[in-house]
Amino acid sequence: MADHENLAEGARFAGSVPARPEAFPIKGCGALDWGMQSRLARIFRPATRRTVMLAIDHGYFQGPTTGLERVDLAIVPLLPYADALMTTRGMVRSTIPPASGTPIVLRASGGPSVLRELSDEQIAVGIEDAVRINACAVAVQVFIGGEHETQSVRNMTRLVDAGQRYGIPVLAVTAVGKELTRDARYLRLATRICAELGAHFVKTYYCEPDFDTVAAACPVPLVMAGGRKLPERDALIMAHNAIENGAAGVDMGRNIFQSDTPEAMIRAVGAVVHESVKPEDAYDQYVRG
């Protein structure tokens, strides 16, 4: 035996000191399996419990979006500043360097293009392929109030069931269309349904007033969607307001990669989210580059 000649003293085992189990700090995720918690801890920084996700999955329904024509040139240099990258399996395998270390949130729903009814989505990625890619989460669009509402909810619950088997969290993305509003009442409804049916975190839009009620009513982390391109100062104000009112992070795409200086913008967003920098100061940081 290794300790045969030099037995360890009993005091080294600290028998009088109670074990210190560490509670998982992410909202609503304390009862998840270790693998789920480990993946979520890569997406949400443990020190702040927040995330800056970079969304570049737009091409799955609208093709080469402005700013994403060459992901290798426009996005790969931004990866060191993103806590997670939301993208598709095709882009992962063709373009994203495996050594980047940036956690992948994998787009797992799809089907119709911008030329068709967008709510008519199906599950487009098997959970086994998400495992092969080493995704930290899978994302599915949920169209509450849309023409194919039940189908999209079913897509989500099927992914939740599969994710539970393999330890992969599911991000539910609340979709809004021209016929759906973005007020607090609707967003409370959509985000709560997603969480009640098993989503481990939810992405939704910012609204005024009462975004705080949307975040409070959602029992899992709420990540703010960046939405359409805004002037940089306005995008930073929106991110700040979302965080101040309960969001656990942001998932921005166009407001970063369509910026005149994307690297400066994602760094400014990170300062708002993780350092609680005021938007005016973050904008000054962006201008300085």
Side-chain angles (χ1 to χ4, degrees), residues 5-196:
E5 295 181 357
N6 184 22
L7 296 178
E9 297 292 336
R12 297 180 183 177
F13 294 94
S16 62
V17 180
R20 299 174 181 174
E22 185 173 336
F24 189 64
I26 306 301
K27 180 181 180 181
C29 298
L32 299 179
D33 291 341
W34 189 93
M36 285 248 190
Q37 292 181 346
S38 178
R39 287 182 171 92
L40 286 168
R42 292 187 63 203
I43 296 170
F44 295 90
R45 289 191 195 179
T48 63
R49 306 178 189 179
R50 296 173 183 170
T51 186
V52 174
M53 293 171 54
L54 177 59
I56 64 162
D57 58 327
H58 306 66
Y60 93 95
F61 71 98
Q62 63 184 34
T65 305
T66 300
L68 297 179
E69 296 89 349
R70 288 288 301 272
V71 169
D72 57 331
L73 300 179
I75 299 301
V76 170
L78 303 181
L79 294 181
Y81 308 104
D83 296 308
L85 181 70
M86 186 165 171
T87 188
T88 61
R89 61 178 168 181
M91 197 57 70
V92 167
R93 289 192 166 109
S94 67
T95 309
I96 304 303
S100 74
T102 304
I104 298 297
V105 177
L106 191 66
R107 166 63 62 179
S109 63
S113 73
V114 289
L115 305 178
R116 309 291 293 181
E117 168 53 47
L118 290 178
S119 69
D120 192 18
E121 284 195 346
Q122 303 285 345
I123 294 177
V125 176
I127 199 70
E128 292 85 0
D129 208 28
V131 173
R132 281 188 285 270
I133 285 174
N134 195 28
C136 281
V138 292
V140 55
Q141 209 83 355
V142 182
F143 295 83
I144 299 300
E147 181 178 344
H148 298 276
E149 175 187 72
T150 299
Q151 177 176 296
S152 70
V153 170
R154 176 60 174 150
N155 292 340
M156 186 196 74
T157 57
R158 287 170 61 196
L159 279 173
V160 169
D161 289 341
Q164 290 294 124
R165 289 195 297 272
Y166 288 90
I168 296 183
V170 172
L171 169 64
V173 182
T174 61
V176 297
K178 294 179 180 178
E179 73 284 358
L180 300 175
T181 182
R182 297 188 186 187
D183 63 16
R185 182 179 181 183
Y186 170 77
L187 296 178
R188 284 195 301 266
L189 172 71
T191 56
R192 184 60 175 260
I193 287 174
C194 291
E196 293 263 359

Side-chain angles (χ1 to χ4, degrees), residues 213-230:
T213 67
V214 180
C218 186
V220 297
L222 202 63
V223 177
M224 186 205 76
R228 63 184 177 86
K229 176 68 173 71
L230 299 172

